[in-house]
Amino acid sequence: MKHLHSTLAVVLLIALIIAIVITLVNYAGNKAYNRKIALIGLISAHLQLVIGAVLYFTSPLGLSSFSGENMKNSLSRLYFLEHPLMMIIAIVLITMGYSKAKKIADAKKANQTVLIFYILGLIFILSRIPWSTWSILN
Ligand code: HEM
Ligand code: HEM
């Protein structure tokens, strides 16, 4: 599960960056909104949410380390509180962006909506990845 979550994190980051770049190009060039590319980002995010939720209840770094004492430890707090909370908010933002854009007929506005929500989501994700302990990097 941890390996899957770690690999999917890379897939999600790449999917979001590709979706943002292609949507930006379409936005700047007044081209049609590409729903397929935004959908790949959405599916990666939802998959990661499910795997993350499983990890939260099974990993020793998840819910089982939730305590007042661990609250004082910044790495521990990142894992049991800040990481899950911010990632859920980020995924809600991405879902809102995709969902809103789906209902917008005007291509410029649809592209703009996905850009705003996906970029915000990506910033939230980047802010709470456990960079210093991520198994792929360390
Ligand atoms: C806890 C688990 C999940 C929650 C709470 C969740 C929530 C949502 C919500 C609220 C939407 C509506 C977006 C809209 O208005 O279009 C949605 C759409 C979608 N989700 Fe999830 N999802 C979850 C898991 C998954 C998983 C595991 C997958 C697939 C791997 C997935 C794939 C999709 C797809 C394909 C759509 C629809 C896209 C479309 O409307 O074209 N979701 N999800
Ligand atoms: C945007 C979505 C997410 C991304 C990009 C992400 C990314 C990561 C990364 C890179 C790690 C480090 C894994 C390693 O060291 O190999 C990790 C660990 C973890 N994540 Fe997430 N995550 C996301 C969402 C979530 C969610 C929604 C939850 C819980 C509800 C969650 C719970 C956890 C837990 C408990 C760990 C620690 C696992 C362990 O080392 O035992 N993640 N995550």
Side-chain angles (χ1 to χ4, degrees):
M1 271 298 162
K2 194 184 154 185
H3 271 117
L4 188 56
H5 192 66
S6 200
T7 311
L8 248 173
V10 178
V11 173
L12 175 59
L13 288 178
I14 294 172
L16 284 180
I17 291 167
I18 293 176
I20 289 167
V21 169
I22 291 183
T23 307
L24 185 64
V25 168
N26 290 340
Y27 175 75
N30 287 316
K31 300 223 184 69
Y33 165 55
N34 185 336
R35 190 151 77 89
K36 288 267 161 61
I37 205 74
L39 182 62
I40 294 172
L42 178 84
I43 293 176
S44 312
H46 284 189
L47 266 177
Q48 185 70 320
L49 175 67
V50 175
I51 310 298
V54 173
L55 263 182
Y56 195 65
F57 293 104
T58 54
S59 163
L61 294 173
L63 185 61
S64 67
S65 69
F66 206 125
S67 72
E69 199 47 46
N70 283 343
M71 206 49 112
K72 296 184 194 125
N73 177 326
S74 64
L75 185 63
S76 176
R77 192 177 60 235
L78 174 68
Y79 276 111
F80 76 74
L81 186 64
E82 297 168 1
H83 174 81
L85 198 63
M86 286 294 267
M87 295 307 187
I88 290 170
I89 295 172
I91 295 166
V92 167
L93 284 172
I94 290 165
T95 308
M96 281 171 66
Y98 177 85
S99 182
K100 277 178 186 287
K102 205 168 62 172
K103 294 174 201 132
I104 299 175
D106 181 57
K108 192 94 186 167
K109 284 209 180 104
N111 280 322
Q112 190 187 43
T113 304
V114 164
L115 273 178
I116 293 169
F117 282 87
Y118 276 44
I119 290 173
L120 260 179
L122 180 61
I123 292 171
F124 278 38
I125 291 172
L126 292 176
S127 81
R128 284 299 174 273
I129 280 181
W131 298 107
S132 65
T133 46
W134 187 359
S135 56
I136 282 186
L137 304 177
N138 295 279

